[in-house]
Amino acid sequence: MAYKEVIEEFFNTTWRSRHNQSIPDHSLTFLWSLSVSIKDFGALLGSLGVKGLADTFGRRNAILIANALSVAGASLMFMSEATASFEVLIVGRLIFGLFCGLVMSLNPLYIQGVSPTNLRGAFATLNQVFFASGILLGMVVGLETVLGTEKYWSLMLSLSLIPATLQYLTLPFCPESPRYLFINRGKEEEAEAALRRLRGNPEMVMKEMEEMREEAAHSETGVTVREFLRKRRYRQPIILVLIINLGSQLSGFNAIINYSTKMFAQSNFDEATYLTLGVGAVNVAFTIVAFFLVERAGRRKLLLAGFLSLAICNLLMTITYSILTIVPFIRNIQVLVVFFLISAYEVGPGPISWFIAAELFDQSARPIAMAFTSMLNWGGKFVLALLFPPLLKICGAYVYLLFMCMALLAFTYTMFRLPETKGRTFDDIAAEFRGAEGIPLHNKTTFNTFT
């Protein structure tokens, strides 16, 4: 019995115990859709709290506070079977979604605040590596031969308690972000002490302290959301973050991942299982590739190559989908296109879209920028989950041309407007947007696309 069928059986059993009859089909469909989409909606809401938590409690402590939502959500999902309540399951999913919305912004904020400049992008990419690994692990434990059964499904949904517990045991021993201590709190001595713990090398500590002094001199304190949206210095970075993240979420990756499940379902059970696990494995493998490439190739090259490849893959999806009924064996080509698309996404737009905002904005605006990033990503997932099925019915194969156009738009805007941030200090990057009308100052370091 597939995982979806296991959960639907839980809904049916609970309904029958209350009403002495089987659950109507429309109610079953609604409960399943709600339980799936409520996490993305919760993540969208959670994004709104990033700035408040990060600025009030610090980057590290904000993660620890958000972690409590993971514990609460996982506990409720685990208890839903014992309490025979699908409402508890749905509330647990909502709370876990709040955690996801917070932590997917707080993690890059903290990681970039403690990382050395030359490894900042690689360490930020690790966040996506662990996220993709979690998805793959979820696919494995969700198999009927592991925990995806009527007996163990609630245990499967509570497995996030393990990393949450590990984080509570280890993260308190890690230093707070030196940039937060220095620039936000004005605690220079504590910031220097944190840097000594992180770097060990006195020369590196002195150099980074000087960099933070320069950044602090150009940073404004207490930037509000209104100021963030109105200041010219933030206008161009906001548009960049908007285009890159919408290009990432609406370039077909999430839609094709959902479509691939149906496509694989045409195979026998074992083949479909292996193909689905293959999707997860490719996700992990190419985020690891991105980890090694992001500080060598740079953000711009990976984004440009990724968006262009996504556009090509969407065009191929349109072609293969159109002739599938005429040439049935073309389905094998479709499977390859899906794998190529996943690899293109995870090498560039996937991980980079989550942390690029932290590099384009100064310290005071960074939490708002990361909240904006989280809202765009989770909002894009939520809206796409609602709109893709009817779009597929209306447009058929041509729906992928819409994704192709979005990927090409992101490619074009990235090529002409995004500065390369690899190996540069935060203040150096922010200086590009302090020119007149918020337009980047073109220089050879920034806009040399392929060298």
Side-chain angles (χ1 to χ4, degrees):
M1 185 180 292
Y3 168 69
K4 180 176 183 287
E5 295 172 344
V6 169
I7 299 299
E8 287 181 337
E9 180 59 29
F10 167 67
F11 290 156
N12 193 32
T13 302
T14 304
W15 186 282
R16 191 183 300 114
S17 67
R18 296 178 183 180
H19 306 286
N20 294 319
Q21 61 180 8
S22 296
I23 186 171
D25 289 342
H26 67 275
S27 298
L28 182 61
T29 301
F30 171 76
L31 285 176
W32 169 254
S33 301
L34 179 62
S35 64
V36 170
S37 61
I38 197 72
K39 190 198 78 167
D40 290 344
F41 180 70
L44 183 61
L45 293 180
S47 305
L48 301 175
V50 171
K51 173 178 167 54
L53 278 178
D55 284 346
T56 303
F57 299 101
R59 294 1 182 191
R60 181 197 62 184
N61 293 338
I63 294 173
L64 291 171
I65 292 170
N67 205 34
L69 293 172
S70 175
V71 174
S75 299
L76 285 173
M77 288 187 284
F78 177 71
M79 292 187 297
S80 61
E81 183 182 24
T83 57
S85 172
F86 48 72
E87 293 88 353
V88 172
L89 173 62
I90 291 170
V91 171
R93 291 274 297 171
L94 174 64
I95 294 174
F96 190 76
L98 292 172
F99 160 75
C100 292
L102 286 167
V103 80
M104 287 301 288
S105 289
L106 292 172
N107 280 356
L109 265 180
Y110 178 67
I111 292 169
Q112 296 218 332
V114 300
S115 300
T117 300
N118 63 323
L119 295 174
R120 193 175 59 220
F123 284 151
T125 304
L126 277 178
N127 189 54
Q128 193 75 4
V129 172
F130 287 117
F131 183 71
S133 299
I135 293 175
L136 177 59
L137 180 61
M139 289 179 174
V140 172
V141 299
L143 294 175
E144 190 176 353
T145 53
V146 189
L147 296 179
T149 64
E150 290 186 63
K151 185 177 181 180
Y152 294 116
W153 66 266
S154 60
L155 178 62
M156 179 188 68
L157 293 180
S158 67
L159 289 179
S160 57
L161 286 170
I162 296 174
T165 303
L166 290 174
Q167 192 170 77
Y168 274 129
L169 293 174
T170 57
L171 191 57
F173 297 100
C174 299
E176 178 55 88
S177 165
R179 293 183 179 277
Y180 171 78
L181 292 171
F182 191 133
I183 301 174
N184 291 76
R185 293 302 183 192
K187 299 178 178 179
E188 185 171 343
E189 292 183 0
E190 292 185 23
E192 188 171 350
L195 268 179
R196 282 197 297 269
R197 288 183 60 190
L198 290 165
R199 305 291 183 263
N201 188 325
E203 291 184 5
M204 292 182 65
V205 171
M206 290 179 61
K207 181 180 178 181
E208 289 196 40
M209 287 297 296
E210 185 58 36
E211 289 175 2
M212 285 192 287
R213 290 189 185 97
E214 292 178 4
E215 185 178 357
H218 295 123
S219 295
E220 301 179 22
T221 57
V223 174
T224 64
V225 174
R226 184 178 181 182
E227 290 171 337
F228 176 80
L229 295 173
R230 295 186 65 179
K231 284 185 178 293
R232 290 181 175 179
R233 66 191 297 180
Y234 299 139
R235 190 171 301 165
Q236 187 64 32
I238 286 174
I239 297 174
L240 277 166
V241 171
L242 176 68
I243 296 296
I244 290 172
N245 280 277
L246 288 182
S248 175
Q249 291 303 316
L250 303 181
S251 61
F253 172 77
N254 291 300
I256 288 180
I257 286 295
N258 294 332
Y259 172 74
S260 68
T261 304
K262 295 181 180 179
M263 182 170 61
F264 297 159
Q266 298 175 22
S267 310
N268 61 60
F269 178 78
D270 289 337
E271 183 183 351
T273 299
Y274 291 138
L275 288 172
T276 302
L277 291 178
V279 167
V282 170
N283 255 319
V284 175
F286 281 90
T287 52
I288 294 173
V289 171
F291 168 76
F292 288 104
L293 287 182
V294 71
E295 293 298 352
R296 296 186 180 187
R299 286 58 153 166
R300 276 173 51 79
K301 283 183 180 179
L302 293 183
L303 282 173
L304 290 171
F307 283 132
L308 186 59
S309 299
L310 287 169
I312 293 171
C313 287
N314 275 295
L315 178 61
L316 292 175
M317 282 298 293
T318 301
I319 295 171
T320 56
Y321 191 97
S322 300
I323 62 176
L324 185 60
T325 54
I326 304 172
V327 189
F329 70 84
I330 205 72
R331 189 181 69 83
N332 297 323
I333 305 298
Q334 263 193 338
V335 172
L336 289 177
V337 172
V338 169
F339 282 108
F340 278 125
L341 182 140
I342 293 168
S343 63
Y345 177 84
E346 293 296 0
V347 166
I352 295 173
S353 64
W354 277 104
F355 71 79
I356 192 67
E359 296 189 321
L360 296 178
F361 291 85
D362 57 30
Q363 180 75 8
S364 54
R366 205 164 287 141
I368 303 177
M370 292 305 297
F372 183 52
T373 295
S374 188
M375 290 177 65
L376 288 171
N377 275 283
W378 292 110
K381 292 177 189 291
F382 182 70
V383 171
L384 193 62
L386 295 177
L387 294 183
F388 181 67
L391 277 175
L392 188 59
K393 285 185 178 180
I394 295 171
C395 302
Y398 300 106
V399 69
Y400 297 105
L401 294 180
L402 299 177
F403 300 140
M404 182 190 73
C405 291
M406 192 65 224
L408 289 175
L409 172 63
F411 170 84
T412 304
Y413 201 84
T414 298
M415 182 169 61
F416 288 108
R417 288 296 188 182
L418 179 68
E420 179 54 74
T421 59
K422 178 188 72 171
R424 301 171 64 190
T425 66
F426 286 119
D427 189 58
D428 182 32
I429 299 166
E432 297 219 16
F433 300 102
R434 290 198 287 265
E437 299 298 326
I439 298 174
L441 307 176
H442 295 209
N443 59 53
K444 63 182 180 180
T445 302
T446 301
F447 289 95
N448 193 350
T449 305
F450 297 106
T451 60

